[in-house]
Amino acid sequence: MKKALITGITGQDGSYLAEYLVQLGYEVFGIVRRQSVAENQSSRIHEINDQVTTYYGDLIDETSLYKIIRRVQPDEIYNLAAMSHVRVSFDVPSFTIKTNALGVLNMLEAYREVTPEAKFYQASSSEMFGNSVDNDGCQRLTTNMSPVSPYGCSKVMAYNLVCHYRNAYKLHACNGILFNHESPRRGTNFVTNKVVKGAVEIKKGLREKLELGNLDSSRDWGHSYDYVRSMHLILNHTEPRDWTVATGETRTVRQLCDYVFKSLGLNYRDYVVQNKRYMRPEELNYLKGDSLEIREKLGWKPRYNFEMMIDEMISIWQDRL
Ligand code: NAP
Ligand code: G4F
């Protein structure tokens, strides 16, 4: 039985990945942070709680990482833990860099010292590209990285550390550069789930308006369930290297609002108002990823399209509220 260790197992991706690896027959271990509301710690992994083993730890606490890796002796390490909110990273830049960059260095050091024969996946991000776009309107592995947020800067450092450790110490360490991916488990302060939840609340008469920031930025949105499957494929390819994972479709936040409100029989223009509070000091305007390589070489293919994913999110919020 292979052993997988997931940091960020309580997050959106961590919870889907844990379920997927359990299904594949892995013994799954996860690192969780202590939270003051105990129920929040494991709400996303509630259904598989008895099938995974979790340990308290933190990316910033190096000794906790050494202890856990030594105890688990993982075959595969998925490093998904991060301060993952781009706008919030402008408010807490130092914490963001400590967790997302130094935290990754801590993970790499513990991995190299304790289980260098294991495989290591790093959750890299399309936010690293900033506003760089190739001539064909896409971003890919060779696109220039010029981040426009503390979060993006932290992820570029982590990305480079992973490449460096792979080359310097001959480790099986890989970056998955994943474009935005969502699901009903997405935090409700990310735009897709915020819009879906807000629109369903409006439909049910629970609120009157929805406040958003920039409606004109474009994102390449896929489903988290599809994207965690790519993580496993990436790590189990014979050659350790980096990949981009995307749908290749892009939509504006305005188009997202239009689709969600229309699905509920509403016009978003009657309800959405803009509030500067949700704007960013510097915005990433446009993302559209080229994932041809992972589709052709590893056979990755998303099962959800945009409409299926948003419909699933709407349906879940209709039940929840
Ligand atoms: P998420 O839902 O915010 O989950 C992040 C996880 O990291 C949570 O379990 C969180 O724990 C944990 N965490 C945060 N700081 C930590 C620390 N210092 N030590 C240990 N654990 C810590 O994010 P996600 O959407 O699942 O994303 C997973 C990873 O992929 C992240 O690295 C993110 O930056 C990256 N990524 C995401 C996307 C996307 O569109 N979703 C795209 C590209 C890359 P708590 O539950 O205690 O907060
Ligand atoms: O949903 P978002 O907060 O996601 P963002 O900033 O693209 O970051 C996500 O994707 C990255 C991959 O590219 C990940 F690395 C990262 O961890 C995270 O998962 O915002 C999407 C767009 C932005 O342009 C933002 O300005 O929506 C715009 N937006 C407009 N109003 C809003 C809002 N975003 C949020 N969160 N809240 C709003 O009210």
Side-chain angles (χ1 to χ4, degrees), residues 10-13 33 35 58-59 80-82 84 151 155 178 181:
T10 57
Q12 171 188 250
D13 291 3
R33 292 191 297 177
Q35 286 188 11
D58 196 299
L59 253 52
L80 310 187
S84 72
Y151 171 84
K155 286 287 181 178
L178 272 48
H181 45 278

Side-chain angles (χ1 to χ4, degrees), residues 85-102:
H85 201 286
V86 174
R87 210 215 53 76
V88 174
S89 77
F90 291 96
D91 298 338
V92 290
S94 174
F95 175 76
T96 304
I97 302 290
K98 281 179 191 145
T99 302
N100 299 2
L102 289 181

Side-chain angles (χ1 to χ4, degrees), residues 127 129-133 139 148 214-220 250-253 282-288:
E127 183 73 19
F129 296 121
N131 283 313
S132 303
V133 187
Q139 290 95 1
V148 292
N214 181 12
L215 302 182
D216 297 315
S217 54
S218 300
R219 290 293 181 272
D220 178 328
T250 189
R251 287 175 180 77
T252 60
V253 174
E282 195 176 2
E283 175 68 282
L284 192 165
N285 298 312
Y286 173 92
L287 285 174
K288 183 176 178 216

Side-chain angles (χ1 to χ4, degrees), residues 100-292:
N100 299 2
L102 289 181
V104 177
L105 179 66
N106 291 340
M107 280 298 293
L108 285 166
E109 275 294 298
Y111 154 51
R112 173 169 92 88
E113 281 294 320
V114 184
T115 55
E117 68 293 342
K119 297 176 178 180
F120 186 96
Y121 175 89
Q122 168 59 21
S124 286
S125 164
S126 47
E127 183 73 19
M128 299 189 303
F129 296 121
N131 283 313
S132 303
V133 187
D134 288 356
N135 289 337
D136 66 351
C138 289
Q139 290 95 1
R140 49 180 61 80
L141 270 184
T142 48
T143 305
N144 185 35
M145 290 181 188
S146 47
V148 292
S149 62
Y151 171 84
C153 293
S154 71
K155 286 287 181 178
V156 171
M157 177 156 183
Y159 172 87
N160 283 318
L161 283 169
V162 169
C163 296
H164 165 57
Y165 271 61
R166 176 171 68 223
N167 296 332
Y169 306 114
K170 312 293 170 235
L171 298 170
H172 192 108
C174 313
N175 285 290
I177 305 180
L178 272 48
F179 285 63
N180 297 49
H181 45 278
E182 319 292 314
S183 75
R185 295 184 198 172
R186 184 61 138 155
T188 51
N189 54 355
F190 292 89
V191 79
T192 53
N193 220 11
K194 180 173 173 181
V195 170
V196 172
K197 183 182 179 215
V200 173
E201 283 174 337
I202 288 170
K203 179 72 182 174
K204 288 184 181 266
L206 300 173
R207 66 148 81 191
E208 290 180 354
K209 296 283 175 202
L210 176 63
E211 289 189 350
L212 295 175
N214 181 12
L215 302 182
D216 297 315
S217 54
S218 300
R219 290 293 181 272
D220 178 328
W221 280 297
H223 196 297
S224 173
Y225 168 75
D226 286 325
Y227 284 45
V228 301
R229 289 191 294 109
S230 78
M231 296 174 187
H232 180 254
L233 286 172
I234 287 170
L235 222 46
N236 284 281
H237 181 55
T238 42
E239 178 201 354
R241 48 158 288 189
D242 310 321
W243 302 83
T244 47
V245 184
T247 69
E249 288 178 18
T250 189
R251 287 175 180 77
T252 60
V253 174
R254 196 180 292 283
Q255 287 172 314
L256 163 75
C257 292
D258 188 46
Y259 182 80
V260 173
F261 278 79
K262 251 191 199 138
S263 302
L264 295 164
L266 304 171
N267 184 339
Y268 82 91
R269 289 182 191 82
D270 298 333
Y271 304 99
V272 170
V273 289
Q274 281 183 287
N275 185 333
K276 279 199 180 133
R277 191 177 162 204
Y278 300 109
M279 306 279 193
R280 296 158 188 205
E282 195 176 2
E283 175 68 282
L284 192 165
N285 298 312
Y286 173 92
L287 285 174
K288 183 176 178 216
D290 172 7
S291 60
L292 194 66

